[in-house]
């Protein structure tokens, strides 16, 4: 560790200790309320909640109310101890009462910090304390989880407690319709995933009516597994997209080339940066096979991009590791959780390239309609807090990006987990043989074993090996997720052997069966190190919960991806110096430390990518904030008259820029044509004579503006002020939506090409900001001009038609009103960021489409209208 790193570590530890010491008097004050609250009846508790709300409305700070409020939550939890309730289709018994360390965790979360708490320490229960306190303001509290299952489970798990307190709670699920989302969002406390909350924000800002929106106040969010959400998925922008040009034939054309080209001969493969680059032989082969002449001529400039995707599909994206093929679809596997992400897609043509590789139907590309990074979404909240078992390794990033301080909460009981040194082998086959022997040895003692793998393929390979030795076991991966709760419930029982991907990492609490603690507890066996130490620590954390005994150990080979790509040569050299030979195993603390150093380097590289992505997204974030704010004001009919007047003034001044400086420069004929042109452009009852006079004496702009405002006022008097204002606001809003969509496309093009500026010794980030600002100014001018032309030409007899027209347009932009498709994708901004970090890398994005392309027939399929013709010959273009 560097001197600076050691200094930070010492400061962090001393600050952590001081903070915990400061919390002790607060805990004592909380527990001092026990005597008072024990005298209350059950019906008195919600009445006490109402009194808290009244005191807050009268101006009492939340911090002053904290001991009383936390004490009430603790007392309510004790009252329902032993009561039965239903949680995710299973009957459960309430056995949770807040420990002192959990009260400290609640203080940490209320103060907008991150609480690092070990597995089994009850993070879900801890969150109830600040949830209750902050909900007393009458503003919503969002509890963010990493998957739908945990959102539903935690909401139902805590419902008896919140009901006892008189506080409402609900949860959001990915399959909910827009109408179904209104009820949970009206609750005091809402549980849901980061993706659902983020997509609802984007959907809300594409709705046509304010009453259709569901999120109304980004007040306070508690993020469970905060490192997963704000670190792992910070490289995953949320995108709402619509259909774009269908380029299916191009993917099919380059797919064969991608399959036959060889790394090191036709292209350079960089697994660290997750990138490919064509070599001379590859360029020559492509030009010869595709018969396109120069690959880099103007008309062929897009081919290298498609070929790059084909090469990535065949060489970097592995079936059963990165995705599976199911029901004739490519379904992505989340690398951090091991879960399937049905309906999500990689963008920028990558998903289509993988579909071509797998020989299944290729779906069209999409165009961005709305986007935001998770970083910027959560930074919009008034206050955020987080909890996880693994935040300490990323404490510096949390503080630098989010200003979140990390506090390590001590365990309620001493940690008894043993962590033997990693066992290292030369080949993967030797490693797997040793793993099988280890599992059989532990299983013979009756001790339960949890085996962690990084892919479906590896989990199923281990499963087939165990079957050969008749070892009874369960497999938990993305293919067998339906029995997840049942498998986890049995994983700590005597003789249980559970093979799992990262699905068994976050959010799973494995409880030991009777007598197992005496046998040493759960043995966690990791079959491979992950790029991020936090993922390894999540797996370790499945054992040794709440003072239970346990063991965790990793088995590693030099052929593992992390070792091969980042640490192989270095470790191999050490092992040779230690006299390591084929067929041997070695346990070396020095080698284990070397592996951790390799992980740290990968983490630092990924931090650079995330930080760079955020810098690029700041440009879009500022623009998005301005557009969404103006759009919201229009839906709420705020400042419409002022907005119309400002647009008129700009438009008329814009017209005036085309006037000749001197009226005498115009011939009589030219003057007539000019005056007629202005009159026709405005269509507000102004005469050519008035144009001529105003132009001559310099009062034309003021006169036309006065006429335009007068015209708008006449419409209001005839059709009603509120109705006319609504229609005018709708016309402006629809124009903003149309132009914003075009602007996003232009910004996408800018992102894709901006890295080329680096070759001219120009900083691409600075150029992106400068040109993005210029494009945004053009957007603003375009909106003013387009709106003015529409409004100035809205005559009385066409006003109703405009309203009808708007309803049609409104339906197009009613994102989420009907069925929607959520997909995951490579984000161009992240790719640009990766290109300009020293180490490179790529990112995924969560994308949602407004058109369900699943239901559209293929060109040669029978037309749905029943004509008997092929779809392309019948209704496709109608």
């Amino acid at each position: 560790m560097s001197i600076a790193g050691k200094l930070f570590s010492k400061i962090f530890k001393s600050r952590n200790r001081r903070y915990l010491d400061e919390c002790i008097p607060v805990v004592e004050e909380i527990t001092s309320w026990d005597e008072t609250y024990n005298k209350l009846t059950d019906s008195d508790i919600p009445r006490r909640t109402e009194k808290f709300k009244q005191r807050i409305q009268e101006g009492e700070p939340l911090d002053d109310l904290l001991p009383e409020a936390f004490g009430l939550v603790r007392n309510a939890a004790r009252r329902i101890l032993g009561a039965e309730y239903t949680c995710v289709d299973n009957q459960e018994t309430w056995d949770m009462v807040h420990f002192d360390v959990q009260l400290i965790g609640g203080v940490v979360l209320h103060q907008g910090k991150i609480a690092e708490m070990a597995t089994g320490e009850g993070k879900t229960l801890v969150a109830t304390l600040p949830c209750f306190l902050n909900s007393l303001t009458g503003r919503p509290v969002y509890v963010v989880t990493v998957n739908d299952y945990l959102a539903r489970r935690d909401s139902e798990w805590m419902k008896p407690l919140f009901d006892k307190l008189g506080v409402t709670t609900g949860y959001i699920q990915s399959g909910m319709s827009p109408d179904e989302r209104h009820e949970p969002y009206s609750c005091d406390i809402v549980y849901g995933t980061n993706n659902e909350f983020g997509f609802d924000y984007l959907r809300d800002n594409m709705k046509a009516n304010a009453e259709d929106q569901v999120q109304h106040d980004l007040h306070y969010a508690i993020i469970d597994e905060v490192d997963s959400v704000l670190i792992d998925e910070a490289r995953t922008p949320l995108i709402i997209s619509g259909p774009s040009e269908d380029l299916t034939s191009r993917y099919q054309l380059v797919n064969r080339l991608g399959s036959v080209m060889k790394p090191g001969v036709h292209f350079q493969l960089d697994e660290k940066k997750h990138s490919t680059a064509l070599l001379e032989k590859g360029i020559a082969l492509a030009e010869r096979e595709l018969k396109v002449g120069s690959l880099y001529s103007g008309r062929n400039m897009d081919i290298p991009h498609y070929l790059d995707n084909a090469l990535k599909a065949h060489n970097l994206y592995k079936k059963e590791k990165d995705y599976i093929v199911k029901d004739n679809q490519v379904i992505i596997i989340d690398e951090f959780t091991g879960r399937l992400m049905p309906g999500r897609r990689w963008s920028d043509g990558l998903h289509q390239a993988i579909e071509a590789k797998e020989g299944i139907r290729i779906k069209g590309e999409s165009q961005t309609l709305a986007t935001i990074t998770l970083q910027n979404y959560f930074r919009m909240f008034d206050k955020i807090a987080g909890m996880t078992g693994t935040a300490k390794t990323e404490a510096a990033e949390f503080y630098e990006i989010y200003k979140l301080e990390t506090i390590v909460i001590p365990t309620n009981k001493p940690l008894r987990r043993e962590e033997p040194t990693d066992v290292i082998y030369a080949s993967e086959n030797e490693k797997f043989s040793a793993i099988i022997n280890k599992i059989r040895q532990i299983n013979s003692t009756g001790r339960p074993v949890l085996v962690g793998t990084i892919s479906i393929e590896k989990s199923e390979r281990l499963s087939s090996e165990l079957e050969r030795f008749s070892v009874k076991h369960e497999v938990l991966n993305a293919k067998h997720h339906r029995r997840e709760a049942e498998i986890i419930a049995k994983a700590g029982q005597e003789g249980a052997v559970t093979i799992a991907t990262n699905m068994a990492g976050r959010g799973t609490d494995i409880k030991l069966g009777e007598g197992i603690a005496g046998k040493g507890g759960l043995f966690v066996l990791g079959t491979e190190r992950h790029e991020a130490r936090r993922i390894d620590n999540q797996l370790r954390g499945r054992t040794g919960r709440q003072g239970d005994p346990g063991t965790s150990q990793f088995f590693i080979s030099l052929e593992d991806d992390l070792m091969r790509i980042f640490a192989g040569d270095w470790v191999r050299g050490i092992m040779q110096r230690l006299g390591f030979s084929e067929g041997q195993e070695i346990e070396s603390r020095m080698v284990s430390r070397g592996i951790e150093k390799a992980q740290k380097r990968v983490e630092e590289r990924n931090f650079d990518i995330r930080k760079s992505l955020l810098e690029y997204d700041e440009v879009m974030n500022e623009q998005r904030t301005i557009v969404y704010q103006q759009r919201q004001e229009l839906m709420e009919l705020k400042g419409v008259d002022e907005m119309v007047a400002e647009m008129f003034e700009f438009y008329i001044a814009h017209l005036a820029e085309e006037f000749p400086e001197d009226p005498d420069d115009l011939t009589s004929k030219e003057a007539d044509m000019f005056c007629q042109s202005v009159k026709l452009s405005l269509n507000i009852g102004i005469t050519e004579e008035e144009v001529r006079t105003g132009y001559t004496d310099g009062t034309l702009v003021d006169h036309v503006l006065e006429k335009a405002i007068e015209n708008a006022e006449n419409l209001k008097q005839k059709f009603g002020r509120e109705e006319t204002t609504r229609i005018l606001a709708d016309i402006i809003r629809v124009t903003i939506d149309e132009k914003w969509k075009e602007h996003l496309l232009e910004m996408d093009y800018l992102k894709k090409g901006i890295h080329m500026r680096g070759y001219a010794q120009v900083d691409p980030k600075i150029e992106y900001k400068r040109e993005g600002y210029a494009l945004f100014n053009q957007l603003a001018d375009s909106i003013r001009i387009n709106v003015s032309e529409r409004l100035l030409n809205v005559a009385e007899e066409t006003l109703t038609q405009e309203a009808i027209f708007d309803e049609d347009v409104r339906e197009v932009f009613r994102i989420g009103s009907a069925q929607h498709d959520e997909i995951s994708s490579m984000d161009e901004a992240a790719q640009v960021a990766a290109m300009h970090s020293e180490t490179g890398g790529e990112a995924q994005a969560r994308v949602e489409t407004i058109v369900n392309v699943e239901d559209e027939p293929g060109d040669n399929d029978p037309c749905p209208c029943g004509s008997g013709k092929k779809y392309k010959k019948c209704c496709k273009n109608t």
Side-chain angles (χ1 to χ4, degrees):
M1 184 184 291
S2 66
I3 294 176
K6 290 178 180 178
L7 179 62
F8 177 82
S9 179
K10 288 181 180 179
I11 294 172
F12 175 80
K13 288 178 181 177
S14 60
R15 161 62 183 157
N16 202 85
R17 184 68 262 169
R18 288 198 309 273
Y19 182 88
L20 294 176
D21 290 341
E22 291 168 1
C23 286
I24 293 175
V26 181
V27 171
E28 291 173 348
E29 188 175 356
I30 294 169
T31 57
S32 70
W33 283 92
D34 283 352
E35 185 177 352
T36 300
Y37 290 147
N38 285 339
K39 298 174 183 178
L40 298 178
T41 66
D42 283 0
S43 59
D44 287 334
I45 292 180
R47 283 198 284 268
R48 185 61 66 108
T49 297
E50 291 304 314
K51 289 181 180 178
F52 287 160
K53 292 180 180 179
Q54 184 177 351
R55 287 164 59 181
I56 290 171
Q57 290 174 358
E58 292 170 355
E60 185 170 351
L62 280 181
D63 290 350
D64 293 353
L65 198 62
L66 184 148
E68 290 180 65
F70 279 23
L72 189 66
V73 177
R74 186 167 179 260
N75 187 271
R78 185 178 291 115
R79 287 170 185 258
I80 57 177
L81 190 66
E84 289 191 347
Y85 64 98
T86 301
C87 175
V88 193
D89 303 324
N90 291 317
Q91 201 72 17
E92 301 280 353
T93 301
W94 184 273
D95 61 352
M96 298 171 285
V97 177
H98 303 80
F99 302 127
D100 287 355
V101 290
Q102 291 175 313
L103 298 178
I104 294 175
V107 174
V108 170
L109 295 178
H110 167 67
Q111 293 181 352
K113 295 179 172 60
I114 292 174
E116 175 172 300
M117 302 181 67
T119 303
E121 292 297 300
K123 294 190 293 293
T124 307
L125 184 63
V126 170
T128 60
L129 299 162
C131 278
F132 174 70
L133 176 60
N134 286 268
S135 71
L136 297 174
T137 62
R139 303 174 69 187
V141 174
Y142 295 166
V143 183
V144 184
T145 66
V146 293
N147 59 58
D148 278 346
Y149 169 80
L150 292 177
R152 181 186 168 196
R153 186 203 72 177
D154 292 356
S155 175
E156 293 181 347
W157 208 356
M158 297 300 113
K159 191 178 189 306
L161 176 56
F162 288 127
D163 285 348
K164 179 76 72 176
L165 292 162
V167 174
T168 59
T169 181
Y171 58 88
I172 304 296
Q173 299 282 278
S174 58
M176 284 183 171
S177 69
D179 290 339
E180 291 173 325
R181 292 171 188 267
H182 280 281
E183 182 178 349
Y185 271 112
S186 66
C187 294
D188 299 312
I189 300 162
V190 190
Y191 288 79
T193 66
N194 49 289
N195 288 338
E196 287 306 306
F197 284 128
F199 274 130
D200 279 336
Y201 168 77
L202 292 178
R203 294 182 195 118
D204 277 356
N205 284 285
M206 301 184 78
K207 296 286 177 63
N209 299 299
E211 57 267 25
D212 291 333
Q213 296 177 313
V214 291
Q215 284 186 8
H216 301 289
D217 190 1
L218 301 182
H219 168 48
Y220 177 46
I222 297 176
I223 306 171
D224 192 11
E225 307 298 355
V226 65
D227 54 325
S228 174
V229 175
L230 296 186
I231 300 294
D232 296 337
E233 299 202 27
R235 292 165 58 187
T236 62
L238 304 178
I239 299 173
I240 289 181
S241 66
S244 186
E245 183 182 359
D246 186 4
L247 301 169
T248 299
S249 60
R250 299 191 185 183
Y251 295 108
Q252 294 170 332
L253 190 64
V254 299
N255 177 61
R256 191 180 64 83
L257 273 175
S259 66
V260 299
M261 284 186 170
K262 297 179 181 178
V265 178
H266 299 104
F267 66 96
Q268 181 178 334
L269 180 66
D270 192 327
E271 292 185 90
K272 286 185 181 180
K273 296 182 180 180
H274 215 66
S275 64
T276 65
L278 282 174
L279 299 174
E280 286 188 14
K281 287 186 177 180
I283 295 172
L285 177 63
E287 290 175 344
R288 184 172 64 252
E289 292 297 317
L290 297 177
K291 299 179 175 62
V292 293
S294 173
L295 207 59
Y296 296 96
S297 64
R299 64 179 181 176
N300 297 327
M301 282 298 287
D302 58 340
I303 293 179
H305 170 70
Y306 291 100
L307 189 50
D308 178 59
N309 275 336
L311 293 173
K312 287 177 180 176
H314 283 279
N315 296 276
L316 292 172
Y317 288 82
K318 307 274 193 315
K319 189 175 179 180
E320 303 291 303
K321 180 176 183 290
D322 301 298
Y323 65 91
I324 67 169
V325 177
K326 183 180 179 182
D327 298 330
N328 210 32
Q329 296 181 58
V330 170
I331 303 177
I332 297 170
I333 301 171
D334 191 302
E335 66 170 308
F336 298 108
T337 67
R339 297 177 185 276
L340 292 180
M341 299 192 288
R344 292 177 181 166
R345 298 174 65 81
W346 288 296
S347 73
D348 205 27
L350 177 62
H351 208 94
Q352 286 85 350
I354 294 175
E355 287 170 335
K357 164 191 168 184
E358 295 295 338
I360 63 178
R361 181 187 169 195
I362 301 172
K363 298 171 187 173
E365 291 190 35
S366 58
Q367 175 190 336
T368 300
L369 300 179
T371 179
I372 190 171
T373 61
L374 289 172
Q375 292 164 314
N376 275 321
Y377 173 69
F378 284 111
R379 295 202 306 177
M380 289 192 296
F381 282 77
D382 296 335
K383 179 171 69 174
I384 61 173
M387 49 189 184
T388 181
T390 49
K392 188 167 54 178
T393 59
E394 311 294 344
E397 180 172 351
F398 278 126
Y399 190 79
E400 181 174 347
I401 301 297
Y402 304 100
K403 303 305 177 194
L404 286 171
E405 184 179 1
T406 301
I407 301 295
V408 179
I409 310 297
T411 56
N412 186 50
K413 296 178 181 178
L415 184 66
R416 297 168 59 192
R417 182 174 65 234
E418 297 178 356
E419 298 180 0
T421 306
D422 297 347
V423 186
I424 304 163
Y425 298 86
S427 70
E428 187 175 69
N429 286 335
E430 292 175 68
K431 178 186 74 172
F432 271 90
S433 295
I435 289 171
I436 296 298
N437 291 334
K438 186 72 173 180
I439 293 172
R440 294 176 64 196
Q441 173 200 333
I442 299 170
N443 181 246
S444 66
T445 68
R447 188 178 181 184
V449 184
L450 173 66
V451 186
T453 66
I454 66 165
S455 69
I456 294 175
E457 178 188 13
K458 299 291 174 63
S459 68
E460 296 188 341
R461 174 180 173 181
L462 270 176
S463 176
S464 62
E465 289 287 326
L466 288 176
E467 285 175 358
R468 287 201 307 115
F469 292 98
S470 302
V471 177
K472 188 178 179 181
H473 62 281
E474 294 279 8
V475 178
L476 177 60
N477 60 35
K479 287 184 175 180
H480 306 281
H481 62 92
R482 298 188 185 279
R483 295 180 55 240
E484 177 177 357
E486 178 188 347
I487 293 172
I488 291 298
K490 296 178 180 178
Q493 303 299 312
E494 182 175 0
V497 176
T498 308
I499 301 172
T501 58
N502 291 339
M503 287 179 67
R506 298 186 184 277
T508 55
D509 192 4
I510 299 175
K511 298 179 181 180
L512 296 182
E514 187 176 349
I516 297 303
K519 296 182 178 182
L522 178 67
F523 192 106
V524 169
L525 195 160
T527 62
E528 200 163 330
R529 289 287 200 122
H530 195 275
E531 287 186 3
R533 289 171 294 166
R534 290 173 293 104
I535 308 301
D536 292 341
N537 291 339
Q538 285 286 342
L539 181 61
R540 289 188 191 278
R542 297 315 99 195
T543 185
R545 62 182 294 277
Q546 294 186 4
D548 287 337
T551 307
S552 72
Q553 188 174 27
F554 281 83
F555 282 50
I556 299 169
S557 85
L558 296 183
E559 294 178 348
D560 294 346
D561 287 346
L562 177 71
M563 302 292 287
R564 182 174 51 80
I565 299 171
F566 296 101
D569 294 339
W570 183 85
V571 173
R572 189 175 285 105
I574 291 179
M575 295 172 77
Q576 287 173 350
R577 289 196 294 273
L578 293 173
F580 179 83
S581 61
E582 194 77 17
Q584 283 185 309
E585 67 178 42
I586 188 170
E587 295 184 37
S588 167
R589 295 255 175 219
M590 182 168 61
V591 174
S592 295
R593 286 195 296 270
I595 294 169
E596 289 193 2
K597 286 181 180 179
Q599 290 175 305
K600 287 179 183 178
R601 287 197 297 272
V602 179
E603 290 167 2
E604 290 168 0
R605 180 200 68 168
N606 290 336
F607 174 42
D608 288 340
I609 294 172
R610 289 189 292 268
K611 188 175 179 181
S612 187
L613 170 61
L614 183 61
E615 290 173 357
Y616 274 93
D617 191 61
E618 284 296 334
V619 178
M620 280 302 303
N621 192 52
E622 292 175 11
Q623 298 177 8
R624 178 173 48 243
T625 301
I626 293 170
V627 170
Y628 285 178
Q629 181 179 349
Q630 189 172 57
R631 198 179 181 283
Q632 190 67 31
E633 290 175 357
L634 287 165
M635 284 196 294
E636 296 172 2
L637 303 183
K638 294 179 179 177
V640 177
D641 290 347
E642 293 81 359
M643 205 179 297
V644 169
E646 188 275 333
M647 290 183 173
F648 281 166
E649 187 171 1
F650 174 85
Y651 178 67
I652 295 163
H654 168 72
L655 288 180
E657 291 176 0
E658 303 300 320
F659 298 172
E661 292 185 8
D662 188 347
D664 294 336
D665 290 344
L666 290 176
T667 64
S668 177
K669 185 175 181 180
E670 288 173 337
D672 290 342
M673 291 177 63
F674 169 74
C675 293
Q676 186 178 13
S677 173
V678 172
K679 173 183 175 294
L680 291 174
S681 296
L682 299 177
N683 193 26
I684 53 175
I686 193 169
T687 65
E688 290 183 30
E689 187 60 35
E690 287 175 317
V691 174
R692 189 184 303 276
T693 302
Y695 177 51
T696 302
D697 61 19
T699 61
L700 178 59
V701 173
D702 292 338
H703 182 60
V704 171
L705 180 59
E706 181 182 334
K707 275 281 191 180
I709 295 174
E710 179 185 338
N711 186 61
E713 192 63 31
N714 290 336
L715 292 175
K716 290 179 183 178
Q717 291 177 4
K718 176 149 188 163
F719 292 96
R721 181 170 298 275
E722 184 175 343
E723 179 63 15
T724 304
T725 300
R726 185 193 65 79
I727 293 173
L728 294 176
D730 279 351
I731 292 172
I732 299 173
R733 179 189 50 75
V734 170
T735 305
I736 289 175
D737 288 344
E738 292 171 349
K739 296 298 180 181
W740 178 244
K741 174 183 170 183
E742 295 171 5
H743 176 71
L744 289 176
L745 185 60
E746 291 179 337
M747 292 296 288
D748 281 346
Y749 287 142
L750 178 62
K751 289 175 197 173
K752 289 177 181 178
I754 200 69
H755 67 280
M756 300 297 290
R757 310 296 174 86
Y759 295 115
Q761 304 301 311
V762 176
D763 188 336
K765 291 178 187 175
I766 294 176
E767 286 297 290
Y768 180 72
K769 291 177 181 179
R770 184 182 64 80
E771 295 201 20
Y773 178 74
L775 285 174
F776 189 67
N777 282 337
Q778 293 175 21
L779 167 69
D781 292 349
S782 177
I783 290 172
R784 292 187 183 108
I785 292 170
N786 196 280
V787 168
S788 297
E789 288 176 343
R790 283 187 176 182
L791 294 184
L792 289 171
N793 285 280
V794 175
E796 294 181 9
E797 63 273 13
T798 62
L799 186 62
T800 307
Q801 293 176 4
E802 280 286 347
I804 293 172
F805 159 77
D806 181 59
E807 286 298 323
D808 294 336
V809 176
R810 179 182 302 172
E811 197 60 35
V812 174
F813 286 91
R814 198 183 296 274
I815 308 303
S817 305
Q819 55 193 350
H820 58 268
D821 201 15
E822 285 188 355
I823 54 185
S824 178
S825 136
M826 302 296 301
D827 179 67
E828 292 83 356
Q831 291 175 333
V832 173
M835 289 177 181
H836 299 291
S837 67
E838 291 184 0
T839 52
E842 290 185 342
Q844 290 182 344
R846 307 288 184 255
V847 185
E848 176 176 291
T849 59
I850 65 169
V851 176
N852 191 347
V853 295
E854 299 278 348
D855 297 332
E856 183 180 355
D859 285 350
N860 295 316
D861 290 339
C863 189
C865 72
S867 65
K869 298 179 182 178
K870 292 181 179 179
Y871 179 53
K872 68 179 179 180
K873 297 288 188 181
C874 191
C875 293
K876 179 177 181 179
N877 300 312
T878 60

